[in-house]
Amino acid sequence: MKSRGVSIKIFLNTGNRKGIVTASIANWTGIAIRIPRHLFEKLKKQKELHRPGVYFLLGQDIDNPTTQCIYIGEANNLMERIIQHLRKSDKTFTTDIICFYSQDDNLTISHTKYLELKMIEMLSKLTDLRLTNISRGTRVSISQATKAEMDAYFDNMKIILPLLRHFGVEN
């Protein structure tokens, strides 16, 4: 298949690249948002973060600051699940959160589990980061058509992730 150009919209919600950043791709219903940990709970009322989605907790390894740590998860309600994580001592490495959700409420829990598993499988192969997940994801049964849709969503995630936070994801 021939490569094609991609139009990406980046919005600096707080006016600078170190604050909250939202990213989307033209003609895609997915949305990505990167939030510094210290700003996360201030977004409790943002309805988009109460949707199903896939999330990443990112930061530096406390014992080895040159190693980047990442936790990958999925949730039916992103805000509630991430708040649970941020209260745990094993997630103190977290400095940034990246969430992917659908602007049209079209992602289901089966979709998010599928995307989480694919992302864990991909990132676990990288040697320049430490994946902190204990679970390696959950296999779900989805139709061939749904798999194709989620593979396209996954491809878009791989395009946007390096723009929000560099941790070795290649397209």
Side-chain angles (χ1 to χ4, degrees):
M1 185 179 277
K2 198 172 188 181
S3 293
R4 67 186 192 293
V6 177
S7 179
I8 298 171
K9 181 179 177 182
I10 302 281
F11 179 65
L12 306 176
N13 303 49
T14 50
N16 67 69
R17 64 181 180 82
K18 293 185 178 184
I20 299 169
V21 178
T22 306
S24 60
I25 295 176
N27 298 315
W28 180 49
T29 62
I31 301 288
I33 186 168
R34 189 199 70 219
I35 309 157
R37 181 183 184 142
H38 70 279
L39 296 176
F40 189 75
E41 288 204 37
K42 292 179 182 177
L43 300 177
K44 277 185 182 177
K45 293 185 179 171
Q46 188 168 334
K47 65 179 179 159
E48 293 87 355
L49 293 177
H50 291 275
R51 294 179 176 166
V54 178
Y55 61 91
F56 303 80
L57 306 179
L58 305 160
Q60 300 305 120
D61 187 324
I62 294 166
D63 298 325
N64 184 1
T66 61
T67 301
Q68 194 161 28
C69 288
I70 184 169
Y71 178 89
I72 304 164
E74 60 81 26
N76 199 38
N77 183 314
L78 289 164
M79 178 63 70
E80 289 177 6
R81 185 67 180 125
I82 294 168
I83 286 174
Q84 290 172 353
H85 279 303
L86 295 180
R87 291 183 177 146
K88 294 180 181 177
S89 62
D90 66 337
K91 302 298 186 297
T92 57
F93 68 85
T94 305
T95 57
D96 290 293
I97 298 115
I98 296 176
C99 299
F100 282 87
Y101 57 88
S102 175
Q103 63 185 344
D104 61 3
D105 289 330
N106 209 17
L107 283 180
T108 68
I109 201 73
S110 292
H111 297 146
T112 61
K113 286 184 183 301
Y114 180 81
L115 293 168
E116 174 197 40
L117 177 66
K118 281 190 65 99
M119 193 56 71
I120 289 171
E121 288 174 347
M122 184 184 80
L123 293 182
S124 66
K125 297 173 186 169
L126 299 178
T127 58
D128 61 340
L129 64 86
R130 184 168 67 86
L131 188 62
T132 65
N133 291 60
I134 294 170
S135 167
R136 292 301 183 192
T138 304
R139 295 214 181 274
V140 292
S141 178
I142 56 177
S143 70
Q144 186 177 6
T146 300
K147 182 182 180 305
E149 290 172 13
M150 290 303 100
D151 287 344
Y153 193 103
F154 181 75
D155 289 343
N156 287 335
M157 290 174 72
K158 291 189 310 182
I159 292 169
I160 288 180
L161 274 171
L163 299 174
L164 295 178
R165 179 75 176 211
H166 298 283
F167 54 88
V169 176
E170 295 296 327
N171 189 14

